[in-house]
Each structure stands twice: as C-alpha cells, then as structure tokens.
Amino acid sequence: EAQLVESGGGSVQAGGSLRISCTASESAFRDSTSMAWYRQAPGNKCELLSTTTSTYYADSVKGRFTISLDTAKRTVYLQMNSLKPEDTAVYYCTAAGTARGGICPSDIGYWGQGIQVTVSS
C-alpha cells in the first residue's frame, strides 16, 4: 500500500528550529516525480510551502525553511528555522499531490497523516 509517514513535529519556542521528515513507501515514491510540503492552520487555506522539483518557497517561509530529499531513504525533509507563532499549523507532505479547494490533504496524489507544529511566543 502506498503511503507517506511523517515524523518530527512538536512544540518549540519562537526563534527555534525543527526538522520534520516524511518517508514514502516504495510504491508511492516510484509513482511520483515530485514531493512537496503543505501546511494548514485553523481558518486558513492549505498553503504550498515548497517542492522537491522547483526553487519555489512560499513568501511566508522563504529564507527560513529548506526542503531536501534523500532519494536513497525515500525521505523528504523540511528544515524550519527562525520559527514564528504564525508557523503553527498541521504540516503535510505529499507525493504527486496537490491541494484542492484550499483544503489538504486532498484526493490527488499520496499524502501523509499530517503532523502538528506549534510555535509559542
């Protein structure tokens, strides 16, 4: 069964760092040409943060977050530095997926279970 498993979330104070990870099953990784990180905070639309096949970063995280991919481990990482309270959200990784109607996860592609990141001031 194709699946993505996320890890590494938690709580941190403003200004701190976290690294979250997402490991894809062989089938999910094989079926996908790109992986990405999204996040969704309560009341907000699902926001694309970055992808492994482009230089795109959302303006809200540019210069603070870095995406990386270890193909041997089928794992995508999101290094988050200089965290702010407004970074508090559920973070989702996806393989070959995209948000639909501002909501994530969607029915397009493979999605992780979501992982909570909470930044306190």
Side-chain angles (χ1 to χ4, degrees):
E1 179 183 352
Q3 62 177 357
L4 304 178
V5 178
E6 300 168 9
S7 61
S11 298
V12 65
Q13 288 194 323
S17 297
L18 276 177
R19 189 178 77 160
I20 54 179
S21 305
C22 171
T23 300
S25 64
E26 286 190 19
S27 56
F29 194 75
R30 181 185 62 240
D31 292 348
S32 307
T33 58
S34 178
M35 297 182 74
W37 285 100
Y38 284 80
R39 70 183 179 188
Q40 187 154 31
N44 289 0
K45 287 187 175 181
C46 184
E47 179 183 23
L48 171 64
L49 301 179
S50 188
T51 78
T52 58
T53 52
S54 75
T55 58
Y56 173 81
Y57 284 91
D59 287 343
S60 58
V61 305
K62 197 174 296 182
R64 300 188 297 121
F65 289 13
T66 304
I67 193 170
S68 60
L69 174 65
D70 186 332
T71 55
K73 296 181 178 179
R74 302 189 308 276
T75 298
V76 61
Y77 302 94
L78 188 67
Q79 177 68 44
M80 304 182 290
N81 299 329
S82 302
L83 283 160
K84 306 174 181 180
E86 51 264 43
D87 293 319
T88 296
V90 178
Y91 285 70
Y92 296 92
C93 69
T94 180
T98 185
R100 187 201 291 266
I103 302 295
C104 55
S106 75
D107 57 352
I108 302 172
Y110 307 103
W111 291 80
Q113 79 278 14
I115 194 163
Q116 179 70 45
V117 171
T118 302
V119 184
S120 58
S121 58

